[in-house]
Amino acid sequence: MVNSVIAGLTSGGGYALLGLCVVLTYRLVAVVNFAMTAVGAMGAFVMVSLTDKGLNVWPALLIGAATAALLSGLLGAALVRWFAGHRERTKAAVTVALYVALTAIGLRLFGGNSTGAHRFPSPFADPVFTVGGVVVPQSVLVSLGFALLITLAVGLMLTRTRLGLKLQALSERPSTAEVVGIPAPRLAVGVWAGVGAITMLVIVLVAPRLGGDYATLAGLISTALAVAMVGAFRSLPLTLAGGLILGCLEGLSSSLSSIQKYQGVVPFLVILVLLWWRSRREVWDTAHSR
């Protein structure tokens, strides 16, 4: 069981990073991006296709990240150009449509669950140390370190730098930000491109554990949304904690044979519980204010 929980921490770090990408997109450009993991998976499969053809893993990784950044940047540019004045739900609906389209294209290009699994490189599989007979691989430390680094770096950037202040102004008052000279469209497209590249890197990190097929990796958006909901789409530390808890729950469920086949339901249960709990609190607050 301890072994499964530690293995779950590897995915938990990746889930935390995906949740952080959802939170960042929402906080900085006010869009819930449902197409995020489909874009990241597209870049990851470009990378693995290149390594299958004999290209070294590091140039392939850069090309894959650039592909995801370009796709995500184009999506952001389209939303800025044609949907800037629309409500958040309309923009979210656009990303849902793009998620469906990209998933269909990805399955067509790279194959389905039974035929499209690829062998992703796993450079962090070597053991680091052993705890109570459980071998801890490098991937656990890399994913946790990456998640902590992103949380701290983004938190400091948003609160301590002029760029962070500009990005917050862009998310809260985009039209006002443009009036005072902030290059809102350029910053928004930059945010989209950066999130796309980070998502691709996270998917490459978790792909060896999850099987390496396009549908499974693109479907990680449900897990990313569940993690983002733990942080209420605002708090970076709570989102980080949510990712680690979800990874541990998933690892724990995989060690229990009676519930192992329901492992994929965990993110949806987390979403349902959080929705129920928050609606319950809103009802309580409304009743209390009368």
Side-chain angles (χ1 to χ4, degrees):
M1 183 178 291
V2 175
N3 202 358
S4 299
V5 172
I6 291 178
L9 282 176
T10 307
S11 299
Y15 296 160
L17 285 164
L18 291 176
L20 289 169
C21 288
V22 172
V23 173
L24 282 177
T25 311
Y26 184 71
R27 285 187 61 175
L28 299 181
V29 294
V31 178
V32 179
N33 182 10
F34 286 84
M36 184 186 77
T37 50
V39 171
M42 193 68 77
F45 271 80
V46 167
M47 184 211 81
V48 79
S49 299
L50 292 174
T51 55
D52 287 345
K53 292 182 183 300
L55 187 65
N56 183 274
V57 64
W58 296 110
L61 185 69
L62 288 177
I63 294 173
T67 302
L70 179 62
L71 274 177
S72 189
L74 288 174
L75 169 58
L79 285 169
V80 169
R81 177 69 177 81
W82 293 307
F83 297 93
H86 289 70
R87 294 182 177 181
E88 291 179 10
R89 66 186 68 175
T90 303
K91 296 175 185 175
V94 172
T95 66
V96 170
L98 284 168
Y99 168 77
V100 174
L102 287 172
T103 301
I105 293 170
L107 291 175
R108 180 72 177 173
L109 291 176
F110 305 114
N113 293 54
S114 58
T115 60
H118 285 250
R119 184 179 176 82
F120 279 77
S122 184
F124 306 113
D126 294 337
V128 183
F129 53 83
T130 303
V131 181
V134 178
V135 177
V136 179
Q138 290 177 355
S139 55
V140 172
L141 300 184
V142 170
S143 60
L144 292 177
F146 197 18
L148 281 171
L149 178 66
I150 292 288
T151 303
L152 291 173
V154 171
L156 289 174
M157 183 195 73
L158 290 176
T159 56
R160 304 290 178 86
T161 67
R162 288 178 60 84
L163 176 62
L165 293 175
K166 288 180 179 179
L167 288 171
Q168 292 193 68
L170 170 64
S171 67
E172 294 174 6
R173 295 284 188 277
S175 54
T176 306
E178 280 196 88
V179 169
V180 299
I182 295 176
R186 203 164 47 194
L187 281 178
V189 172
V191 169
W192 280 93
V195 167
I198 293 173
T199 305
M200 179 269 174
L201 295 175
V202 176
I203 284 181
V204 169
L205 192 63
V206 300
R209 174 173 157 75
L210 297 180
D213 66 271
Y214 188 88
T216 300
L217 298 177
L220 283 173
I221 189 60
S222 58
T223 304
L225 291 172
V227 172
M229 285 187 70
V230 175
F233 288 87
R234 296 294 303 175
S235 171
L236 298 176
L238 283 179
T239 303
L240 173 63
L244 298 181
I245 292 170
L246 197 62
C248 290
L249 285 176
E250 195 177 89
L252 188 61
S253 65
S254 68
S255 68
L256 304 173
S257 58
S258 58
I259 61 172
Q260 189 176 17
K261 57 185 176 182
Y262 302 111
Q263 184 179 348
V265 182
V266 171
F268 297 101
L269 286 178
V270 171
I271 291 174
L272 284 175
V273 169
L274 288 172
L275 286 173
W276 168 77
W277 178 257
R278 283 173 184 155
S279 63
R280 175 178 174 273
R281 190 173 62 181
E282 288 173 4
V283 170
W284 171 261
D285 289 343
T286 303
H288 190 68
S289 62
R290 288 178 179 171

